[in-house]
Amino acid sequence: MTSARYPLPDLNTLPEDIKTQVLAVQEKAGFIPNVYHDALMTPEAVGRRSGLSKGEREMIVTTTSAANQCLYCVVAHGAILRIYEKKPMLADQVAVNHRKADISARQRAMLDFAMKVCQASHEIEDADFEALHAHGFDDEDAWDIAAITAFFGLSNRMASFSGMTPNPEFYLMGRVPRPT
Amino acid sequence: MTSARYPLPDLNTLPEDIKTQVLAVQEKAGFIPNVYHDALMTPEAVGRRSGLSKGEREMIVTTTSAANQCLYCVVAHGAILRIYEKKPMLADQVAVNHRKADISARQRAMLDFAMKVCQASHEIEDADFEALHAHGFDDEDAWDIAAITAFFGLSNRMASFSGMTPNPEFYLMGRVPRPT
Amino acid sequence: MTSARYPLPDLNTLPEDIKTQVLAVQEKAGFIPNVYHDALMTPEAVGRRSGLSKGEREMIVTTTSAANQCLYCVVAHGAILRIYEKKPMLADQVAVNHRKADISARQRAMLDFAMKVCQASHEIEDADFEALHAHGFDDEDAWDIAAITAFFGLSNRMASFSGMTPNPEFYLMGRVPRPT
Amino acid sequence: MTSARYPLPDLNTLPEDIKTQVLAVQEKAGFIPNVYHDALMTPEAVGRRSGLSKGEREMIVTTTSAANQCLYCVVAHGAILRIYEKKPMLADQVAVNHRKADISARQRAMLDFAMKVCQASHEIEDADFEALHAHGFDDEDAWDIAAITAFFGLSNRMASFSGMTPNPEFYLMGRVPRPT
Amino acid sequence: MTSARYPLPDLNTLPEDIKTQVLAVQEKAGFIPNVYHDALMTPEAVGRRSGLSKGEREMIVTTTSAANQCLYCVVAHGAILRIYEKKPMLADQVAVNHRKADISARQRAMLDFAMKVCQASHEIEDADFEALHAHGFDDEDAWDIAAITAFFGLSNRMASFSGMTPNPEFYLMGRVPRPT
Amino acid sequence: MTSARYPLPDLNTLPEDIKTQVLAVQEKAGFIPNVYHDALMTPEAVGRRSGLSKGEREMIVTTTSAANQCLYCVVAHGAILRIYEKKPMLADQVAVNHRKADISARQRAMLDFAMKVCQASHEIEDADFEALHAHGFDDEDAWDIAAITAFFGLSNRMASFSGMTPNPEFYLMGRVPRPT
């Protein structure tokens, strides 16, 4: 009954502390909630599985944070994106409209998938995975794109809600050569 | 420049591992990113600060997960909500329309705030906090409402994206007396 | 000038009272308004024409009522859906996200059509009918899907507006064996 | 548990056929579904209760049908609106933007309420009724505004779905003096 | 770096006054902003380039002005549309729902493109141009459709904001034979 | 019948060429369309009437262009905004979320009004003007805010539709001291 795409991991492959927690829940509830299927989606695991580059990860963060209108994340992660990709104009481009950014068709597909996770995750279907596969992404890449998007959806909401503002240093980082 | 509402914690009050990480970033970047202001918002911390009851936490989860159309979380956390609140009809009510649910005016204000964090966090302003304060919630409660909402926004997206389905046991839990 | 898909019925095939009303309007206005073309769409006629099963009708009601956030109809018709289909989990599934429900591809197409009638009837075009035909539905079935959706759109609005709440009995019906 | 605003009618005040149907359901289900509370909301009853004028009823139909982008109802009921109100420009005004129409403040409040029933009935609350009361409408008027809106929401969906087009005669009716 | 579809015009082909302005900006800024690429998109130029008929231009205005709920433009340009096309019912049809209007497939494609420029210009991509090309429109026609839509988007906002109302004469123009 | 807020100008105060055009239309149509009321809203006039500073005008352009997701205008006018206001971080702030920008309460009210003209001009009412008046803006200022917003709504659509990209120079302008 769980997802065929991402099958339940063998209990014995889980880290010991998580395994212990799962068994305790099973003892109490009489069954293992399927959410433990996602046990590896801890913050530590975010970004570990796939072949996405560091720059591509920041591209996802900047694009989806702009959709969520999160000032902190757009400015801070936009800075990191500029640095990783060595493209001083890229962050502004994906923040305003990723369809007009100077990126590859593969990266465009990656960002389209991320935007759908960000704005309409309940509508994601097989066709969305197929669109990724057509550009060489596999299901582990898809997981990573979704996890980065979902995790920063959390950060976006906390940063906006709490009025967190970006450090002034971020605004210029990656736009000009680093002072020597 | 950071939020006046939630001031930056004293570095020395942070757990040792987080403090070490913060200092390493400062060494490298030349400044401490304001996001470390939110250092305590780890999954472990979610739900720790406030006076929200366990039932109220699940009320937030069920309501906002329904807004995100996440089948797993509505069914699984709806079950836990029924159990904590000992109200077998409550989960269905908040999932369909929290405005029609059999809850207190205070809980209604709590869910209105949660729904705004869920759907328009970029528009949250002082007036939203004041609406909570009018019902006796303080800023730590507000943080908790937002953190629960934001954390399950992450879970909702991962569960929907990956096609995670609820265990059959959840559907009936809390609706009928537990078998003895 | 009327719909080619659903041609105007012969006046003489109409029930006598409707025929009389039509002729009176014609006498007064000088023409027969095309709406009489839909003369058979009385509440009595809803659900009569097609090969939809009783369970499928309730599936449509529960799904579209959830989209309209109508507490009464989701709970009451969800109960009837569980009973007709003998599937105690189905109502919760279609209410939260029909794309994740345990239904056939044919039923999925039926609900997609119903949701478009519910939310964007002005955008329905030939391609939407063709999507139904591909699953064996004919135009009479399409009429029935639309009529059920439209009729409960009326009920949803009245129930929500007037604050009608479901009887407590509905919440559990069809989830557990009927008491003997 | 039903709406305090519109209390359940005494069974004995219902028409005999409806009373019979209610008792049969009670016999079978063991309780009377609260929807029978709305038993009087049959098509025959629409428009019977309140002090709305005929012109005001058509104003509601034309405004909400335009929001639903229903060609038949905007054109046909716009014609009737022009005739009842003897204002040849009014139908076009409410169809495009009722906020700019040449109507009274009372009628503006009536149309605002109707538009909320049309587009967000799940959000209707006491404050919406109070806005009507401030203009002299009572709860029976509110029921009527809602019922007209909801009923034509049904008609709008069926007319759009089935491709029903207005008779050519309607376009000009009420714009020029009736030919003698 | 500018649009390949609409290449930068040769400076020497520009009208003298615009050329002077461009050179002054270049002198001051050190470069020519790409917006001068659009130098010919002055109000005077709107509607000059393409093979659209006068009636088609008004069709675009009426349809998109209705989407923007601009009373002045729907009524005034609807009148002009009726006159140019000699179709007394057409303006009401495209204003309510252009998908149901009595127009050619080519005109439907033209209005679909206009509506996308009106409501989601940031999402326009090559496929949208290809949909126009399939009906015989070239890129100059596309420019014209977009320019008319964008220009009246400006007018719609000013007319609505300022409360401009249509002259009474417009409501009837083109519906009945002109008085002789 | 025209706006009381912005009364029709005396024909004799209009520039000669516009007056001639108006009289020609009057000759042909038999009346003066109310749109000539807005005769002064030519591109030349945009920005002439009010007490808005140059920086405030660019603030409006950058904020509303971001809402329209127009890459060219956000980057180019964001640059000009930085230069006029001598605030290197301001453009990024208003582009992502103007509610979080480092601006005065008066400027916030100005941008709220601009955003409503940009996204829902048909809903603008007296209360929106009053909100401006409370911050010292008069109706001429309101006109200017609306005109700038509406004019760049036109530019945004043309730039996005045609794929116009910002000159690379704009990205850094106003972020660092101008090279000497």
Side-chain angles (χ1 to χ4, degrees), chain C residues 1-3 6 28 31-35 37-38 41 43 68-69 72 113 117-118 121-122 124 129 142-143 146-147 150-151 154 156-158 160-167 169-170 173 178, chain D residues 1-3 6 28 31-35 37-38 41 43 68-69 72 113 117-118 121-122 124 129 142-143 146-147 150-151 154 156-158 160-167 169-170 173 178:
Chain C
M1 173 105 10
T2 62
S3 167
Y6 299 103
K28 187 169 174 196
F31 63 96
I32 303 177
N34 287 336
V35 73
H37 162 68
D38 286 348
M41 199 200 57
N68 286 332
Q69 295 191 237
Y72 183 87
F113 190 86
V117 172
C118 178
S121 60
H122 60 289
I124 288 199
F129 286 89
W143 180 281
F151 183 78
L154 183 165
N156 294 162
R157 282 168 178 78
M158 292 310 291
S160 285
F161 140 86
S162 66
M164 186 166 52
T165 56
N167 303 61
E169 290 87 345
F170 283 124
M173 277 171 60
R178 199 165 179 183
Chain D
M1 174 106 8
T2 61
S3 167
Y6 299 104
K28 186 169 173 196
F31 63 96
I32 302 177
N34 287 335
V35 74
H37 161 67
D38 286 350
M41 198 200 57
N68 286 331
Q69 295 190 237
Y72 183 88
F113 190 85
V117 172
C118 178
S121 60
H122 62 289
I124 288 199
F129 286 90
W143 180 282
F151 183 77
L154 184 165
N156 294 162
R157 283 168 177 77
M158 291 310 290
S160 285
F161 140 87
S162 67
M164 186 164 52
T165 55
N167 304 60
E169 289 87 346
F170 284 125
M173 277 172 61
R178 200 165 179 182

Side-chain angles (χ1 to χ4, degrees), chain D residues 71-136:
Chain D
L71 181 59
Y72 183 88
C73 293
V74 171
V75 173
H77 290 272
I80 305 174
L81 169 57
R82 286 189 293 268
I83 290 171
Y84 281 149
E85 291 287 302
K86 300 186 200 310
K87 287 184 168 181
M89 301 183 294
L90 183 55
D92 294 345
Q93 291 169 355
V94 297
V96 177
N97 186 353
H98 76 279
R99 297 169 197 81
K100 307 291 184 185
D102 184 22
I103 54 176
S104 69
R106 183 177 172 278
Q107 290 166 336
R108 167 67 192 273
M110 175 188 79
L111 294 181
D112 285 347
F113 190 85
M115 285 294 276
K116 191 160 183 180
V117 172
C118 178
Q119 299 185 315
S121 60
H122 62 289
E123 292 182 358
I124 288 199
E125 303 204 78
D126 285 351
D128 298 299
F129 286 90
E130 285 157 22
L132 283 183
H133 296 168
H135 286 281

Side-chain angles (χ1 to χ4, degrees), chain E residues 1 3 32 34 41 162 165 167, chain F residues 1 3 32 34 162 165 167:
Chain E
M1 171 103 16
S3 166
I32 303 177
N34 288 335
M41 198 200 58
S162 67
T165 56
N167 304 60
Chain F
M1 174 103 14
S3 167
I32 303 177
N34 287 335
S162 67
T165 56
N167 303 61

Side-chain angles (χ1 to χ4, degrees), chain A residues 137-151:
Chain A
F137 293 108
D138 65 16
D139 283 0
E140 293 303 295
D141 297 323
W143 181 281
D144 209 24
I145 297 168
I148 293 167
T149 301
F151 184 78

